[in-house]
Amino acid sequence: MATNRLRVAVAGCHRMLLRDLAHHNFASAFDAVEDTDIVAVFDHGEETRAEFAECWQPVWGEIPTFGDYRQMLDEVQPDLLCIATRQTMHADQIEAAVAAGVRGILCDKPLATSLAEMDRIVAACSEVPLAFALDRRWYANYRHLRQQLADGLVGEIASLAAYGLPNGINHGCHWYDAVLGLMGDPEPQWVSGVLNDVSAEPADARVRMDPSARLQVGMDNGAVAFVSSGGPKGIGFDIAGSAGRVAICADATVAWHWDEGSDEAQPIPLPSAAEPWPSGPAMVADLVKVVREGGRTACDIEQAQRATEIGFALHSSSAAEGARVSLPAGDRALRVESFPWGNEPA
């Protein structure tokens, strides 16, 4: 291995046991970026980490495996840390990594199980760049649409309606971040919403932990976003502005534009992905660049904080029958359980 390459440690590897470039397979994303080498892996599952080491041995040689996260940090002292553990572990792991001198962190979503945990992560990442793995910050089609909207495609954005929300926090952070990005990253000021009624679901149903919802998010520029479950398959958006409208369908694989006063829509040409998971290598390359040159990633701690804050404010608003919750939300102790993830302690 070249000595000037960045040394990466992985925490939580159960979705990285193949060498195919695929969602959540962050090892494959690091493999696609020539400036990085994975030099250690932590996982609570002994068989899982052994399978990871065997899978990736042809790429990086013998990879030390650890059942103790802090031991890995102490012995390996990596440049970069990839965190793909359950979010119950994120605050402790990020604080420990920063204290150990890690220079950059890639973290899978969601960020935390409470805003108090999020606050700890925000403090820890004040000087260390974070790439929070909300893919749409790096997808070429979303980057293209954000630029067109920023250039005035619909004039001043007044409202955005998003559909397809699967839950309030665990995957909802993808929706909130995409909404904010398309609107030009205004600062969210308040949240009002109601969680879907899941009382008829079985007592052990995962949806009970974190239901979907209907919510509004008010921005500092007066614009309002409306987000809801249902609608056509896949995440989509309808954006209205002072000079027109844009409809974005099927996760931004199709988009249409209406000029003000026109009844005829025009298709918006969009980039096509050349790889099955183009945002994976893109987020790794972004993190490597800012570690080398300074700055912040396209989805750093500021974006992670806003997307997380909205989800927890939604839960607080729903408990108050849809009352507006000003941001930052007051209840930092509210805990929303994470979905099972696969690398919990025995």
Side-chain angles (χ1 to χ4, degrees):
M1 297 181 188
T3 56
N4 63 339
R5 291 159 69 98
L6 295 175
R7 301 167 69 254
V8 183
V10 171
C13 64
H14 72 289
R15 300 179 81 169
M16 308 181 202
L17 305 181
L18 296 172
R19 296 217 300 273
D20 298 333
L21 186 61
H23 286 272
H24 298 285
N25 188 348
F26 294 104
S28 69
F30 281 101
D31 184 28
V33 177
E34 292 185 357
D35 206 15
T36 61
D37 291 317
I38 291 181
V39 297
V41 62
F42 156 81
D43 197 281
H44 284 298
E46 183 177 359
E47 292 183 6
T48 302
R49 58 184 187 259
E51 189 174 349
F52 176 93
E54 181 180 3
C55 172
W56 291 102
Q57 191 275 338
V59 177
W60 290 298
E62 296 298 324
I63 300 172
T65 67
F66 295 84
D68 185 305
Y69 174 76
R70 291 176 185 267
Q71 181 188 3
M72 178 183 72
L73 292 178
D74 290 342
E75 292 189 12
V76 176
Q77 297 184 331
D79 299 303
L80 304 180
L81 176 69
C82 172
I83 295 182
T85 51
R86 195 174 183 177
Q87 68 262 41
T88 53
M89 309 177 193
H90 288 180
D92 288 343
Q93 289 178 335
I94 289 173
E95 285 178 334
V98 171
V102 164
R103 299 166 60 192
I105 297 169
L106 177 97
C107 184
D108 204 356
K109 59 80 191 165
L111 191 65
T113 53
S114 73
L115 291 177
E117 290 177 2
M118 184 200 76
D119 291 339
R120 292 167 53 197
I121 295 169
V122 170
C125 291
S126 61
E127 302 295 333
V128 174
L130 173 77
F132 187 44
L134 300 182
D135 302 82
R136 290 160 187 85
R137 285 286 169 174
W138 291 278
Y139 277 148
N141 47 2
Y142 278 92
R143 293 201 311 268
H144 178 74
L145 288 164
R146 287 197 299 268
Q147 187 60 58
Q148 290 221 333
L149 290 163
D151 289 343
L153 184 63
V154 299
E156 185 176 347
I157 295 174
S159 65
L160 180 151
Y163 56 79
L165 182 73
N167 47 59
I169 290 175
N170 279 269
H171 298 89
C173 51
H174 280 295
W175 268 246
Y176 313 139
D177 185 64
V179 163
L180 293 170
L182 291 167
M183 296 181 80
D185 283 307
E187 192 65 32
Q189 299 290 293
W190 55 265
V191 173
S192 171
V194 178
L195 297 170
N196 291 353
D197 183 3
V198 292
S199 59
E201 297 290 339
D204 60 350
R206 191 170 77 164
V207 70
R208 282 181 170 268
M209 299 181 190
D210 186 23
S212 188
R214 303 172 304 283
L215 68 147
Q216 302 175 58
V217 185
M219 310 299 175
D220 61 351
N221 60 4
V224 179
F226 304 85
V227 187
S228 68
S229 56
K233 184 178 180 181
I235 182 172
F237 312 88
D238 193 345
I239 305 168
S242 59
R245 176 187 161 206
V246 164
I248 301 170
C249 307
D251 205 2
T253 56
V254 179
W256 297 82
H257 171 236
W258 289 259
D259 278 322
E260 183 184 16
S262 173
D263 293 329
E264 223 172 286
Q266 299 297 323
I268 301 174
L270 296 170
S272 57
E275 300 170 327
W277 186 38
S279 59
M283 67 179 72
V284 169
D286 190 10
L287 181 61
V288 168
K289 184 175 187 293
V290 301
V291 166
R292 295 286 197 202
E293 302 176 10
R296 287 289 182 172
T297 73
C299 194
D300 213 304
I301 193 61
E302 179 182 355
Q303 290 76 26
Q305 179 177 9
R306 294 186 311 172
T308 303
E309 190 94 37
I310 289 170
F312 282 92
L314 161 65
H315 276 258
S316 292
S317 175
S318 186
E321 299 183 339
R324 280 193 184 185
V325 171
S326 296
L327 301 179
D331 189 353
R332 314 306 280 182
L334 172 66
R335 183 178 176 87
V336 176
E337 277 303 321
S338 66
F339 293 160
W341 195 239
N343 48 35
E344 293 77 13

